[in-house]
Amino acid sequence: MKYIIKIYRIYFLGLLIGLVTLFISCTKNFDELNTPQNQLVVEKIDANLLGQAFAFAQYQTMGVYNYSYLWHSVLYSDRFSQYSSNFHPAFQSDEYLAAGAHIASIWSRFYSSVATQIDFVEKYSQEHDMPLENAVAKILKVEAYHRMTDHFGPIIYSQFGNGKTTVDYDSQKDIYTSFFKTLDSAVAVLTGNPGKNAFSINDQMYGGNVDKWRIFANSLRLRLAMRVVYADPVLAQQEAEKAVAAGVMMSNSDNGKITCTINSLNGLSTTTYHEEWRMSASLYSVLAGYNDPRLAVYLAPRWDGQGYRGLRNGLPLNQRDPNIVKTYSAIGNRWRPLYTGLWGAAGDNEPVPVVTSAEVYFLRAEGALRGWDMGGAAADLYNNGIRMSVSNMTTATPTEIEDYISGTSLPVAINDSWNSPPMCNVPVAYQSGADFETRLEQIITQKWIALFPDGWEAWSERRRTGYPRGYALIESLNPDITKFQLMRRLQFSPNEQSDNAEGVKKALDLLGGPDRNDTRVWWDAKPLSDYPVPSN
């Protein structure tokens, strides 16, 4: 990784959300990339300017900056989680082929912006005796790096910023172990300082409220604990129960969401006007079959006036008819940019979910299903997860939500050229007497609906559990993955393989398999015999 982006100057802007404007140029000197403290040409930084650096990192962590969202989410995780499907002839990620340039961009943008800024804020706050800011920066660091390691497996973590030309990767197991320790130290600081504030208005999630950040950190711990359940069930239960006991999200007022404005647009809204993709058949089959009130929010009516319909993933090039744009549903107006002129469109300002109470209830429901102490029964926690999501995303009345929770209807078949059957055969109403996998499928399927549009997290959960089962691809072009299998990870950046060859070589030993899309990351350890077969 000798290439890197050298930041010659950072101007901290104190307007609106206080984003940092970066002026960058490419260089072949890795020393400059891997020594982030030397990239900040700022002699005097006060708490306000530090907050603006934090705001920049916070916004970039979710990959929502302009076209970053297209590369980070729309073309990859959104496809692999089967939230959306591609019909543009230029892109083949929906057929399991990843473009090296896109992967290199995901990697380089993270390490040249997100990692650099978090590293600076964390170190500066520590050196200048700012414990609350330091604790919050550590929590953001865990959120940022867990998204990266979940995509690639081993990544550069503990050695970032060491100034060397060859940088070793950390194993995913070691990274996750570090995550839990980091959250321990951060939560301890915040717990000892109730009612205090860190970063104030520069904090785009909670306005600096450290009590909310403590709840966020515990909820993030719960997510990470469940992520490792098949790789280390003892650790998973220990960390999950610790999180719940310390206090996790209980209502939508606790939700962690990045605020977006005209100066920090919602990244998804910057891609929707292209009309290069449509919503997936998986999402449509489930929402339509359940009579889900979120259907009219997540999907837009077809242009031909024939209601809603989803498109199967893996569409071959010779079937990518431009008329698809008219006969399948686009994403709902909530994520459409204002300048499209669509009635009710306000996607530029739609907040970006990071962790929500709905997700937390589903995590607790799964933990209770496994026999852990989650502070409630699996059925009750599952139902509360649905309540949180539907009330957060729609205007459904309490009576309508309760009717939905007790619904026994099933997903529908798709009226398409492939005669696609229903995506799965589980209802909304919790099946308390069913076997473990059936109940797990219900929990994760509803969780998948609630996570929308966060494809990064949804793809991770689909790999971890096999749910939702989704549809088989129409076609896979990847020689290592059939149309009935899942994309398990992204390959390492091609620039890394040329510029940090020794680091990547060691990373492959940590990965435990070849640098291919079918190699499973450490936590992706559920026996393949227990995975469901996708519908076809």
Side-chain angles (χ1 to χ4, degrees), residues 318-529:
N318 61 8
Q319 296 183 34
R320 297 184 186 182
D321 184 342
N323 286 323
I324 284 175
V325 74
K326 301 177 182 179
T327 57
Y328 290 90
S329 292
I331 195 169
N333 285 354
R334 177 169 294 193
W335 294 277
R336 290 281 180 161
L338 289 169
Y339 59 79
T340 59
L342 291 172
W343 177 257
D348 294 335
N349 300 329
E350 180 67 18
V352 177
V354 184
V355 179
T356 67
S357 61
E359 178 190 352
V360 169
Y361 275 111
F362 290 123
L363 288 165
R364 292 172 64 193
E366 181 179 347
L369 176 63
R370 296 179 181 278
W372 304 349
D373 183 2
M374 294 286 100
D380 294 336
L381 295 168
Y382 168 83
N383 291 338
N384 276 337
I386 296 174
R387 292 185 185 102
M388 291 298 108
S389 177
V390 176
S391 63
N392 185 51
M393 299 303 296
T394 76
T395 58
T397 66
T399 298
E400 290 170 334
I401 294 174
E402 295 309 308
D403 288 343
Y404 175 78
I405 288 173
S406 62
T408 57
S409 61
L410 300 175
V412 298
I414 310 295
N415 180 22
D416 58 19
S417 59
W418 305 283
N419 296 314
S420 301
M423 192 272 279
C424 64
N425 61 357
V426 295
V428 177
Y430 190 72
Q431 307 295 291
S432 296
D435 61 74
F436 178 90
E437 283 296 322
T438 296
R439 288 177 288 167
L440 179 63
E441 181 172 11
Q442 287 192 282
I443 293 169
I444 302 302
T445 299
Q446 282 294 330
K447 182 179 179 181
W448 172 72
I449 297 173
L451 283 170
F452 185 86
D454 187 358
W456 278 56
E457 187 62 22
W459 178 38
S460 292
E461 284 295 89
R462 192 166 182 234
R463 286 178 285 160
R464 180 180 72 86
T465 65
Y467 302 116
R469 63 183 63 224
Y471 287 103
L473 300 191
I474 300 302
E475 174 184 76
S476 171
L477 297 179
N478 192 315
D480 301 318
I481 310 175
T482 74
K483 66 179 186 177
F484 295 101
Q485 296 173 319
L486 300 182
M487 189 84 153
R488 311 309 302 203
R489 62 179 287 274
L490 296 182
Q491 294 173 279
F492 294 126
S493 167
N495 290 339
E496 275 287 279
Q497 297 186 45
S498 61
D499 297 330
N500 188 27
E502 286 301 312
V504 173
K505 182 178 179 180
K506 295 176 182 177
L508 289 175
D509 293 334
L510 298 174
L511 179 63
D515 185 22
R516 300 192 323 208
N517 300 126
D518 62 333
T519 299
R520 304 172 77 183
V521 300
W522 169 71
W523 53 250
D524 184 5
K526 183 176 182 178
L528 291 177
S529 59

Side-chain angles (χ1 to χ4, degrees), residues 164-396:
K164 297 181 180 179
T165 55
T166 294
V167 186
D168 288 341
Y169 288 49
D170 293 90
S171 72
Q172 189 174 70
K173 180 178 180 179
D174 288 346
I175 293 170
Y176 263 75
T177 299
S178 175
F179 285 162
F180 293 127
K181 293 179 179 178
T182 299
L183 291 176
D184 283 340
S185 63
V187 168
V189 171
L190 300 185
T191 301
N193 290 274
K196 299 295 181 61
N197 193 285
F199 297 121
S200 187
I201 61 172
N202 290 303
D203 171 20
Q204 299 168 84
M205 280 209 309
Y206 295 124
N209 186 324
V210 300
D211 297 326
K212 291 290 187 181
W213 271 101
R214 176 183 56 79
I215 293 172
F216 177 89
N218 293 332
S219 302
L220 179 58
R221 181 193 299 276
L222 180 58
R223 171 194 280 181
L224 301 180
M226 196 61 70
R227 186 61 43 79
V228 306
V229 67
Y230 290 105
D232 192 337
V234 174
L235 176 65
Q237 180 176 356
Q238 171 187 316
E239 294 295 334
E241 291 181 342
K242 178 192 292 186
V244 172
V248 293
M249 295 177 182
M250 301 291 287
S251 70
N252 285 326
S253 63
D254 295 326
N255 290 349
K257 298 183 295 183
I258 302 294
T259 299
C260 291
T261 72
I262 194 63
N263 291 287
S264 56
L265 302 179
N266 180 295
L268 178 55
S269 78
T270 66
T271 72
T272 54
Y273 74 92
H274 287 296
E275 302 294 354
E276 297 171 347
W277 46 277
R278 283 296 181 258
M279 306 313 292
S280 76
S282 294
L283 197 61
Y284 168 75
S285 174
V286 170
L287 296 179
Y290 291 160
N291 298 308
D292 196 308
R294 290 166 290 191
L295 173 65
V297 178
Y298 291 3
L299 276 64
R302 293 161 49 173
W303 287 14
D304 60 10
Q306 300 300 308
Y308 302 90
R309 186 166 66 164
L311 178 63
R312 286 279 294 269
N313 289 86
L315 196 65
L317 183 61
N318 61 8
Q319 296 183 34
R320 297 184 186 182
D321 184 342
N323 286 323
I324 284 175
V325 74
K326 301 177 182 179
T327 57
Y328 290 90
S329 292
I331 195 169
N333 285 354
R334 177 169 294 193
W335 294 277
R336 290 281 180 161
L338 289 169
Y339 59 79
T340 59
L342 291 172
W343 177 257
D348 294 335
N349 300 329
E350 180 67 18
V352 177
V354 184
V355 179
T356 67
S357 61
E359 178 190 352
V360 169
Y361 275 111
F362 290 123
L363 288 165
R364 292 172 64 193
E366 181 179 347
L369 176 63
R370 296 179 181 278
W372 304 349
D373 183 2
M374 294 286 100
D380 294 336
L381 295 168
Y382 168 83
N383 291 338
N384 276 337
I386 296 174
R387 292 185 185 102
M388 291 298 108
S389 177
V390 176
S391 63
N392 185 51
M393 299 303 296
T394 76
T395 58

Side-chain angles (χ1 to χ4, degrees), residues 141-162:
K141 179 178 181 178
V142 171
E143 167 63 26
Y145 275 92
H146 105 72
R147 288 165 61 84
M148 286 294 287
T149 185
D150 288 352
H151 265 42
F152 294 96
I155 58 171
I156 295 172
Y157 180 62
S158 65
Q159 297 303 305
F160 177 74
N162 65 10

Side-chain angles (χ1 to χ4, degrees), residues 28-43:
K28 285 290 183 179
N29 297 319
F30 179 82
D31 296 5
E32 297 165 349
L33 157 69
N34 205 36
T35 312
Q37 62 270 23
N38 293 337
Q39 295 174 354
L40 293 163
V41 189
V42 180
E43 295 180 356

